[in-house]
Amino acid sequence: KDPMTLIVRVGVLTPVSWLNSQSDKGWFQSMFVHEVEARKDAHSNLLSKSETSDLYKIQFHNVKPECLEAYNNLEAEVQHKLHVDQDYPCDVVGSWNTWYGDQDQAVHLWRYTGGYPALTECLTKLNNNKEYRDFRMERSKMLVSRRNQLLLEFSFWNEPTPRNGPNIYEMRSYKLKPGTMIEWGNHWARAIKHRQENNEAVGGFFSQIGDLYEVHHLWAYKDLQSREETRNSAWQKEGWDSSVYYTVPLIRSMESRIMIPTKSSPLQ
C-alpha cells in the first residue's frame, strides 16, 4: 500500500504507515483508550471548607396551593423551636417560597454543626420527640411532594450568614457531567471574585447525597432590576467571560429559582 494513504481517525487525517507502527496496540484500541491520571482524593475533601465540619441539608417541599400560608406558619413555629434549643446541633440558614420557578414551593436550607454525627444525633432526637412527630403528620397533609439533598459548602464561597432585607434570592442549580466537579470548582474559585462587590454572593454548595454532581449557587438582590444590573456588570470585568466559557461545557442542565424569604428566615 502507498505509505502516504490517509484514513480518518477520530476526525484527524492519519497516515496508514503510522497505524501500522501501532499494530502492537491495535489501531481500534488506540482510537478510544486514553490514560487518565487517578485522583488522589475525593472532590468533597478537595473543594469543601477544611476549617469547619458543617453539613447542609436543602429541602424542596411542593405544597398544596390552598395550604401554603398554613404550611409557612407551622414550619416557622417548629424551626424557631429547633433554632433556639441548644440540645439540637442544627440551625435554619434560610427559608423561602419560590416566586418564579416551581409554584407553591417551599425551600429550606439547614446547617448541621458537626457534620454527619450531628445529623444522626438530630434525627434520632426528633424521631423520639412526639411533638415533632405530630408536626410531621400535620405537615404531610399539606404536601404534594418533597425532596432533599445533603450538601457541602465550597471553600471559596462566602459563609451564609443572616442578613437584613428586604431582598429577593436567586438559587441557580446546575447538574454537572459526572467527573467535572473539580474542574467546576477550579474555574469558580477564580470567577467568584467578580461577583462579590455588591454583596450578592450568599453561598455555594455541592451535593453529597441525593441528586449527585449538582451545584447550588445562592444570590441576594434588592429586586429583579438590581439582579439584572448586577449580572450585566459582571460582563464588564476582565476574566468573567472566560469563566463562563469554560464552565458551560461542564453543565448538563441548569435551573433558576427566584425566591422570597419567609418571615422567619434568618436570610431576609
Side-chain angles (χ1 to χ4, degrees):
K1 299 179 180 178
D2 183 349
M4 294 308 294
T5 301
L6 300 178
I7 70 169
V8 176
R9 177 180 176 270
V10 195
V12 180
L13 293 176
T14 307
V16 168
S17 58
W18 182 91
L19 290 175
N20 291 337
S21 71
Q22 300 296 312
S23 58
D24 56 324
K25 294 181 179 179
W27 73 270
F28 186 82
Q29 181 185 20
S30 70
M31 289 174 63
F32 296 104
V33 176
H34 303 277
E35 291 185 6
V36 178
E37 184 178 352
R39 281 216 313 263
K40 305 302 182 185
D41 205 348
H43 68 245
S44 58
N45 294 333
L46 296 171
L47 294 173
S48 61
K49 295 188 175 181
S50 58
E51 66 272 17
T52 70
S53 56
D54 292 345
L55 179 70
Y56 291 83
K57 178 174 72 175
I58 192 167
Q59 298 174 305
F60 300 97
H61 289 175
N62 295 314
V63 186
K64 296 176 182 178
E66 68 273 17
C67 297
L68 187 58
E69 183 177 357
Y71 168 92
N72 284 338
N73 292 335
L74 182 63
E75 193 74 38
E77 179 184 346
V78 174
Q79 286 181 0
H80 176 72
K81 289 181 179 180
L82 292 176
H83 194 73
V84 300
D85 192 336
Q86 298 301 312
D87 199 35
Y88 291 89
C90 67
D91 61 286
V92 184
V93 176
S95 284
W96 304 268
N97 290 144
T98 301
W99 184 22
Y100 288 100
D102 289 339
Q103 297 293 279
D104 305 305
Q105 184 182 71
V107 180
H108 309 292
L109 183 63
W110 293 81
R111 180 193 293 114
Y112 294 87
T113 304
Y116 290 107
L119 172 68
T120 301
E121 178 186 349
C122 245
L123 293 180
T124 300
K125 289 179 176 178
L126 290 174
N127 287 334
N128 293 324
N129 183 326
K130 183 180 183 303
E131 184 180 8
Y132 185 76
R133 294 200 306 270
D134 291 343
F135 153 72
R136 292 193 66 182
M137 183 65 69
E138 183 65 23
R139 186 186 65 183
S140 67
K141 301 173 185 176
M142 306 177 183
L143 297 180
V144 176
S145 63
R146 56 197 180 103
R147 176 172 67 90
N148 62 18
Q149 286 176 304
L150 294 181
L151 313 170
L152 292 177
E153 183 183 8
F154 282 115
S155 60
F156 47 85
W157 269 78
N158 299 347
E159 187 78 21
T161 56
R163 64 171 66 195
N164 297 325
N167 295 294
I168 64 170
Y169 289 80
E170 180 176 19
M171 179 174 290
R172 295 179 72 87
S173 301
Y174 304 87
K175 292 184 184 295
L176 305 184
K177 298 175 182 178
T180 62
M181 188 66 75
I182 296 293
E183 190 175 354
W184 177 273
N186 287 339
H187 288 301
W188 265 97
R190 294 186 290 271
I192 191 64
K193 66 184 180 183
H194 301 300
R195 298 295 309 277
Q196 292 177 318
E197 291 180 2
N198 297 316
N199 198 32
E200 72 265 28
V202 178
F205 311 90
F206 59 98
S207 61
Q208 284 291 282
I209 296 178
D211 289 340
L212 298 179
Y213 282 96
E214 185 164 12
V215 170
H216 302 287
H217 290 175
L218 188 60
W219 310 92
Y221 304 102
K222 180 181 177 181
D223 50 35
L224 288 175
Q225 181 61 35
S226 131
R227 169 188 177 272
E228 180 76 3
E229 293 168 357
T230 301
R231 287 175 54 79
N232 285 342
S233 69
W235 289 97
Q236 310 306 315
K237 299 170 185 174
E238 185 177 355
W240 175 253
D241 55 346
S242 61
S243 297
V244 173
Y245 177 83
Y246 286 115
T247 53
V248 165
L250 311 179
I251 301 170
R252 281 189 162 177
S253 64
M254 56 190 295
E255 179 180 6
S256 170
R257 289 177 176 83
I258 301 296
M259 308 183 301
I260 305 297
T262 62
K263 293 179 181 180
S264 61
S265 175
L267 287 169
Q268 286 294 312

